[in-house]
Amino acid sequence: MAKVRIGDRLISAGLITNAQLEKALEEQRKQVRRKKIVRVLVDLGYLEESKLLGFFVELCKRGELNLLSILEDFPNSEENILMLLSKMINMEYVDLDTYEFNPAIADNVPFSIIERYTSFPFAQEGDTIKVVLADPFDIQAKEALSRSIRGKKIAFCIAKKEQIVAIVIRLSLNDSVKVLVQNIREEMSGVTGVIVADDDANKSAITKLINVIFETAVKQKSSDIHIEATETSAIVRNRVDGVMREAFKFDKDIFAPLSSRMKLMANLDIAERRKPQDGRYSDTIMGKPYDFRISTLPIITGESIVIRILDKSKVLVKLEDLGISELNYNRFNEAIRQPNGIVLVTGPTGSGKTTTLYAALNAIKNVTHKIITVEDPVEYQMDLIQQVMVNERAGMTFAAGLRSILRQDPDIIMIGEIRDKETLQIALQAALTGHLVLATLHTNDAISGVARLLDMGVESFFIGSTICGFQAQRLVRKLCPNCIYEVEPPEKMLAQIRNLLPEDYHFYKSHGCGNCGMQGYVGREVVSEVILGTEGMRRLISANATKDELLAEARKDGFVTMFEDALLKALEGRTSLDEVYRVAKL
């Protein structure tokens, strides 16, 4: 639909004047990244967004405009459009993310129809089946779904397209494994749920199902697979870019053979369901080698199984490929290239600390240095580096491992995590005696790293004399470049950050497409803040300076907070402002 046609329609409807349209077009021509003409009209105050949406919905209702084209043109207003439409056509708007969707309900309709019309049954209330439609004006879809669901009332509903497509993708996966599930039941008939080993030439159905689960997770670039038993089902969820996505949902009877096979693969006790267990398993998925760390935990409905996926090729990641901003990259690179001292990477679980340390070791390793690590567990094996795994049952703690490492004449030491005073004291002593020590620590920001070390009972002068730098970090999801569009954030959100914005600023979102699995994001990168151990900073730490004094000193040295770093990425279109607020604290 051409811009002029939209303008003419709005003038005909009496929503704007000719003069207002001309001024809006003139303003649009000035913009480097041009907004849609209706958005310019709204920004200039010539048109109320609610009236605009009402106008479009009315056209759609009369059949003069396609609903899906409206949603594609105005993805930022999708929820408002659908809620307004639901009132006008008396059809319920539903947020599918709030439903615990049961794929069995969708079995009322053949998957071929679900796939063709992007519509499916999602809930049942009494004798009424609720069916969600991507396009509520699609008569053919309504008729096809009505023919499939007989003997029950049907209530048609509308929802966001990205939510509908995400569930259709899940249903396609479940549809593809229905035969495997049936074969598992046939294999299990007459046995107690324990699966015996099989060979590659004659794989059991449960082994094939696990292969499908692993392949799906790898294709989605998941970091973890969560398999959980509930009262009525077995749910498989994948953590993708830090966010959980449901991948499969099976009946409860599938969980026992699934759990047994997982334990068998990781050399765990398949009969033990009362205690937590940890194991490891290696396999080649789609031609690439992977390690899988498997953890089981007894819960009141059975067990929870979590599999950490370790891609062996990721160990080769370069420091410059982590997405660290140029300023913080240069500061962190300076810290890790000191001849001695301690560099700490801080952040919560899952913030990429270990990956950053591996990248740092990759950047500084060479044949002239002896590098030894002590980790719990060793996640990736690296050339030219001696790696020690913590084994507390055998007495190999972080502290014990460090003591032994110091007798191995290392130049650089990497500690997976500093958890206690003893480990910290040995690490600081190593830093004082000419070693470079890299380690991780759990704190929310870089400045808090100092307080955390003091809380462990170490003298401030000890910290001040050894510290090379702190890097606090998080991971933000990157906007999908294929479906990105410009947005104007709410005024309330802008008011909080106005002083941090340039005069000409732009923010972006992605509405979801096939490239990103309708999520709007693809991959993650680091946002960080780095405090260097300058002379001034070391002096203040040794003198027990307050957090405000340390922050003021860091600012003198060019320190940028993590929120400011993330905000710059949002302004560049690398992530969204919503993601900045989700991950970083103002």
Side-chain angles (χ1 to χ4, degrees):
M1 192 162 55
K3 296 186 181 91
V4 176
R5 188 182 172 193
I6 292 174
D8 288 343
R9 285 186 175 220
L10 292 171
I11 291 170
S12 299
L15 294 175
I16 60 171
T17 65
N18 259 314
Q20 288 173 333
L21 178 60
E22 287 301 321
K23 287 181 181 178
L25 288 168
E26 184 180 345
E27 178 63 28
Q28 186 192 47
R29 284 190 286 269
K30 294 177 185 176
Q31 296 172 351
V32 178
R33 198 178 178 99
R34 291 187 178 183
K35 297 181 181 179
K36 292 183 178 294
I37 190 63
V38 287
R39 177 54 58 193
V40 178
L41 287 163
V42 171
D43 290 346
L44 291 173
Y46 297 155
L47 187 61
E48 291 182 26
E49 185 165 312
S50 59
K51 289 184 178 179
L52 171 67
L53 297 182
F55 171 70
F56 279 134
V57 168
E58 188 60 41
L59 289 177
C60 187
K61 188 179 177 183
R62 297 203 303 259
E64 297 177 27
L65 201 58
N66 183 276
L67 174 66
L68 296 180
S69 70
I70 297 175
L71 298 179
E72 287 173 3
D73 285 344
F74 303 97
N76 200 35
S77 303
E78 181 177 8
E79 188 169 359
N80 292 337
I81 293 172
L82 293 177
M83 291 182 75
L84 186 61
L85 179 64
S86 72
K87 293 175 184 176
M88 294 181 72
I89 63 175
N90 196 27
M91 187 179 286
E92 184 184 357
Y93 167 73
V94 294
D95 182 354
L96 291 175
D97 287 343
T98 65
Y99 279 80
E100 187 178 345
F101 177 69
N102 185 354
I105 294 174
D107 287 342
N108 285 284
V109 175
F111 182 72
S112 58
I113 291 177
I114 291 174
E115 190 173 37
R116 181 176 179 181
Y117 296 107
T118 322
S119 304
F120 54 86
F122 69 95
Q124 182 169 355
E125 295 178 0
D127 62 346
T128 300
I129 296 281
K130 286 189 169 186
V131 177
V132 69
L133 296 165
D135 183 356
F137 301 103
D138 190 338
I139 302 300
Q140 287 186 335
K142 289 181 179 179
E143 290 177 350
L145 290 158
S146 298
R147 284 195 300 269
S148 298
I149 304 172
R150 296 183 179 180
K152 293 176 183 175
K153 296 177 183 176
I154 299 176
F156 289 108
C157 305
I158 53 177
K160 287 184 178 181
K161 184 183 177 184
E162 65 184 66
Q163 294 179 346
I164 296 174
V165 172
I167 291 180
V168 170
I169 291 171
R170 278 165 46 195
L171 289 173
S172 71
L173 292 172
N174 278 279
D175 188 66
S176 67
V177 300
K178 279 181 182 176
V179 174
L180 285 178
V181 171
Q182 184 58 40
N183 290 343
I184 290 169
R185 291 197 174 105
E186 291 173 3
E187 290 177 1
M188 292 296 298
S189 59
V191 296
T192 60
V194 176
I195 303 295
V196 296
D198 52 19
D199 54 37
D200 289 337
N202 187 30
K203 285 186 176 179
S204 65
I206 194 68
T207 302
K208 292 176 182 176
L209 179 62
I210 289 173
N211 286 344
V212 171
I213 291 171
F214 281 6
E215 283 185 14
T216 301
V218 168
K219 285 176 183 176
Q220 292 180 348
K221 299 181 180 177
S222 310
S223 59
D224 303 86
I225 304 170
H226 293 243
I227 304 173
E228 301 146 335
T230 69
E231 288 286 351
T232 58
S233 58
I235 299 174
V236 180
R237 297 191 292 168
N238 297 332
R239 188 176 293 281
V240 183
D241 295 335
V243 178
M244 298 283 273
R245 292 189 203 172
E246 187 172 307
F248 301 95
K249 193 168 188 176
F250 308 115
D251 290 336
K252 183 68 177 280
D253 63 329
I254 299 300
F255 184 81
L258 199 58
S259 171
S260 295
R261 168 58 71 189
M262 289 281 187
K263 290 177 180 177
L264 194 65
M265 286 161 40
N267 293 318
L268 302 178
D269 183 353
I270 62 175
E272 180 57 76
R273 296 186 177 92
R274 298 169 300 170
K275 295 179 182 179
Q277 296 188 75
D278 293 291
R280 199 175 186 117
Y281 165 71
S282 295
D283 201 356
T284 299
I285 306 293
M286 296 187 296
K288 285 181 68 177
Y290 289 87
D291 281 339
F292 299 95
R293 263 181 22 215
I294 299 177
S295 168
T296 70
L297 180 72
I299 56 177
I300 58 173
T301 51
E303 282 183 294
S304 170
I305 302 171
V306 177
I307 302 110
R308 169 64 59 88
I309 303 172
L310 303 172
D311 182 352
K312 293 183 177 182
S313 65
K314 283 188 177 180
V315 71
L316 302 175
V317 67
K318 296 179 179 179
L319 196 59
E320 55 267 31
D321 292 339
L322 296 179
I324 303 174
S325 64
E326 184 178 359
L327 171 69
N328 287 334
Y329 171 80
N330 291 335
R331 291 165 67 84
F332 184 66
N333 198 39
E334 179 184 338
I336 63 173
R337 294 185 184 279
Q338 298 299 313
N340 55 68
I342 187 165
V343 179
L344 293 166
V345 179
T346 77
T349 301
S351 59
K353 300 187 299 297
T354 303
T355 301
T356 297
L357 285 187
Y358 277 125
L361 290 179
N362 260 332
I364 61 179
K365 72 177 183 180
N366 59 56
V367 292
T368 64
H369 290 148
K370 176 151 187 175
I371 302 175
I372 307 181
T373 74
V374 53
E375 306 168 60
D376 182 21
V378 172
E379 292 197 5
Y380 300 104
Q381 295 180 16
M382 301 176 68
D383 294 332
L384 290 179
I385 294 175
Q386 317 304 311
Q387 295 170 275
V388 177
M389 187 156 67
V390 167
N391 185 343
E392 295 193 0
R393 288 183 181 177
M396 178 60 81
T397 62
F398 274 109
L402 270 175
R403 287 196 193 92
S404 300
I405 282 173
L406 289 173
R407 293 192 287 271
Q408 289 283 309
D409 188 30
D411 297 293
I412 300 169
I413 300 168
M414 192 266 266
I415 306 169
E417 184 184 343
I418 293 179
R419 297 175 180 172
D420 51 53
K421 180 180 178 180
E422 186 181 10
T423 304
L424 175 59
Q425 284 179 324
I426 300 170
L428 293 174
Q429 188 64 49
L432 273 175
T433 54
H435 303 88
L436 177 64
V437 179
L438 309 179
T440 70
L441 194 68
H442 285 283
T443 67
N444 288 326
D445 53 55
I447 291 287
S448 298
V450 177
R452 178 79 180 97
L453 297 181
L454 291 172
D455 287 344
M456 287 186 179
V458 177
E459 296 293 337
S460 57
F461 69 86
F462 207 11
I463 301 168
S465 58
T466 57
I467 202 71
C468 290
F470 290 93
Q471 170 163 300
Q473 67 177 60
R474 302 284 191 282
L475 296 173
V476 291
R477 292 180 292 171
K478 295 189 291 184
L479 288 172
C480 173
N482 287 357
C483 56
I484 192 170
Y485 64 95
E486 189 174 334
V487 295
E488 184 69 17
E491 184 56 39
K492 185 177 179 181
M493 189 179 284
L494 286 174
Q496 297 176 315
I497 58 174
R498 188 80 65 184
N499 63 317
L500 300 174
L501 298 178
E503 189 173 324
D504 182 29
Y505 63 84
H506 301 276
F507 289 105
Y508 308 88
K509 280 187 177 180
S510 294
H511 53 70
C513 63
N515 186 60
C516 58
M518 300 306 295
Q519 299 301 305
Y521 298 95
V522 177
R524 292 187 292 176
E525 65 182 28
V526 172
V527 292
S528 61
E529 57 185 33
V530 180
I531 290 176
L532 292 178
T534 60
E535 283 301 318
M537 186 61 69
R538 291 186 178 206
R539 188 167 56 251
L540 286 175
I541 292 173
S542 298
N544 282 313
T546 65
K547 186 175 181 179
D548 288 340
E549 290 171 331
L550 293 174
L551 187 57
E553 178 64 27
R555 286 285 192 188
K556 291 179 187 177
D557 187 46
F559 172 75
V560 172
T561 68
M562 194 184 308
F563 184 87
E564 292 166 349
D565 186 53
L567 185 61
L568 287 172
K569 289 185 183 292
L571 290 167
E572 293 170 358
R574 298 166 74 87
T575 191
S576 66
L577 191 56
D578 290 336
E579 186 72 359
V580 171
Y581 273 92
R582 183 184 75 86
V583 170
K585 185 172 64 176
L586 181 60

